Amino acid sequence: MRYVIPVSFMAILLAGCDDNQPPQALTPEMASYSNEFDFDPVRGPVKTLTETLLNEDGKVERRFHATLSQEGCFNTMDMHDVSRNTDSSLVLDANYYIDAITQNKLIRLQGKCQLESIPEAGVTYQTNDNDFVTGVTSKDLLITYSYAANGFPLGRVTKRGDQTLEIRNIPEKDTRKLLDYHTETWVNGKKVSQTVQTCDYDSHNNPTTCEIESNSVTAKPETPTRYTVKYEIEYY
């Protein structure tokens, strides 16, 4: 007699197998761009990404929106920062990002779609053998970036003159929860603030919502500041 295994049972088995697979690593472009353009990196075949930071009153502090190609290149990026009163929109055009309004060439790219330089500002990007951006240099600025094995940005060190700013990102042990981590900010070797972030995730191990609590170590008494981050992700 031939036994027939129900499709639903096979689906459960396959789902269990998927759970045992390591989560997808971040691409060099996703990890590097998240450092440079100040957004959270996400995994997988992302088509569009919108990240919105809300303060305790539910008002928008910052919004980042991007469209990506199937190869993982950022085709467009729109950045809105209320606290700094800045807006910018970049569009990929051959080997440059151009300003969406003025059409000026702003950022030159190398290879398929990695950052190379900002010619007008005298800024140059360094990459490692795996195509991650590991450094940024200009006349009076030096930034170095570090990454975990899965591409997660572990932080950066910024040096300008005799000032050193260090951001340390310390992830949780569960690598599926990519954006559950805490951050320490150090100025000239002294810790000044720390932030804890916890998130809910979708089936791609990407965040849907994150809660952030930030504390100034130097303030007495310490008064936590809380934020909510909401993500809208469309996949290929």
Side-chain angles (χ1 to χ4, degrees), residues 5-234:
I5 300 177
V7 173
S8 59
F9 182 68
M10 287 298 295
I12 293 172
L13 289 178
L14 290 173
C17 292
D18 288 341
D19 286 342
N20 293 326
Q21 296 298 316
Q24 190 169 355
L26 294 171
T27 66
E29 292 77 21
M30 178 62 73
S32 301
Y33 278 51
S34 72
N35 273 327
E36 191 65 9
F37 298 103
D38 196 21
F39 65 91
D40 289 327
V42 294
R43 298 173 163 124
V46 175
K47 186 175 184 179
T48 65
L49 166 65
T50 302
E51 176 188 313
T52 305
L53 177 69
L54 306 170
N55 62 24
E56 291 180 287
D57 297 323
K59 295 181 179 180
V60 175
E61 289 279 328
R62 191 172 68 243
R63 178 178 285 116
F64 175 86
H65 175 76
T67 62
L68 293 86
S69 68
Q70 286 185 292
E71 294 76 25
C73 296
F74 285 78
N75 289 331
T76 65
M77 290 184 286
D78 296 293
M79 292 155 280
H80 174 61
D81 193 317
V82 174
S83 61
R84 298 175 183 171
N85 194 28
T86 59
D87 286 281
S88 58
S89 295
L90 302 177
V91 177
L92 182 62
D93 184 16
N95 62 332
Y96 275 92
Y97 279 114
I98 64 173
D99 187 290
I101 297 175
T102 66
Q103 302 297 298
N104 291 335
K105 292 181 178 179
L106 299 179
I107 304 173
R108 187 162 58 201
L109 305 178
Q110 61 176 315
K112 185 171 64 175
C113 50
Q114 188 54 285
L115 304 170
E116 179 182 293
S117 63
I118 306 176
E120 288 191 6
V123 171
T124 303
Y125 295 93
Q126 286 80 45
T127 55
N128 63 16
D129 292 340
N130 295 319
D131 293 327
F132 286 81
V133 170
T134 55
V136 183
T137 59
S138 68
K139 183 179 179 180
D140 61 349
L141 177 69
L142 173 63
I143 303 175
T144 55
Y145 295 117
S146 58
Y147 304 88
N150 65 354
F152 177 75
L154 292 175
R156 66 179 182 270
V157 178
T158 303
K159 295 183 178 181
R160 189 191 299 270
D162 59 355
Q163 297 294 310
T164 300
L165 170 65
E166 184 176 0
I167 307 296
R168 303 176 185 175
N169 297 326
I170 300 129
E172 297 295 328
K173 292 182 179 180
D174 186 351
T175 56
R176 292 185 183 277
K177 297 182 177 181
L178 184 70
L179 295 183
D180 279 33
Y181 65 98
H182 69 273
T183 297
E184 297 177 352
T185 301
W186 296 69
V187 175
N188 294 332
K190 181 180 180 180
K191 186 165 73 169
V192 297
S193 67
Q194 56 190 19
T195 298
V196 177
Q197 178 167 295
T198 56
C199 308
D200 294 322
Y201 294 86
D202 65 14
S203 59
H204 289 80
N205 296 308
N206 282 326
T208 56
T209 303
C210 292
E211 299 297 331
I212 300 173
E213 181 175 303
S214 180
N215 283 280
S216 172
V217 176
T218 58
K220 300 298 180 184
E222 292 185 20
T223 303
T225 304
R226 295 179 176 85
Y227 300 93
T228 298
V229 190
K230 294 186 177 181
Y231 306 83
E232 297 174 46
I233 304 174
E234 181 183 4

